[in-house]
């Protein structure tokens, strides 16, 4: 069942890239790089969460790093 979720994720990301990439002006190279990096980061994070749902999220890391200062 996890592979079905993963393939659905890949299909949705592929459709999103096809739809949005055409709308970005070809002269905006940095915007295309940022779009690609954020899309890749989101896809990797969702893939990890699909296959390993017990992994702590970024908010848990934030709480561990800044926990002592947040309790002031």
């Amino acid at each position: 069942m996890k592979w079905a979720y993963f393939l659905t994720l890949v299909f949705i990301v592929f459709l999103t890239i096809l739809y949005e990439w055409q709308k970005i002006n070809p002269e905006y190279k940095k915007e295309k790089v940022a779009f690609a990096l954020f899309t890749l980061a989101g896809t990797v994070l969702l893939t990890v969460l699909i296959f390993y749902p017990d992994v702590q999220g970024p908010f848990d890391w934030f709480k561990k790093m800044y926990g002592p200062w947040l309790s002031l």
Side-chain angles (χ1 to χ4, degrees):
M1 191 66 178
K2 291 181 180 184
W3 284 102
Y5 291 141
F6 174 71
L7 291 175
T8 304
L9 169 70
V10 169
F11 180 70
I12 291 172
V13 168
F14 178 72
L15 289 178
T16 304
I17 290 172
L18 281 179
Y19 180 73
E20 293 293 334
W21 196 263
Q22 298 172 357
K23 292 185 173 192
I24 301 174
N25 191 339
E27 296 174 5
Y28 297 153
K29 303 289 184 197
K30 291 181 182 178
E31 187 173 324
K32 285 189 172 190
V33 170
F35 175 74
L37 289 176
F38 282 121
T39 304
L40 179 66
T43 304
V44 168
L45 180 61
L46 283 172
T47 302
V48 169
L49 289 175
I50 287 172
F51 288 106
Y52 304 104
D54 296 332
V55 172
Q56 293 180 347
F59 185 71
D60 294 325
W61 303 335
F62 180 79
K63 284 189 336 187
K64 284 185 180 181
M65 283 177 32
Y66 297 109
W69 292 296
L70 293 176
S71 63
L72 294 176

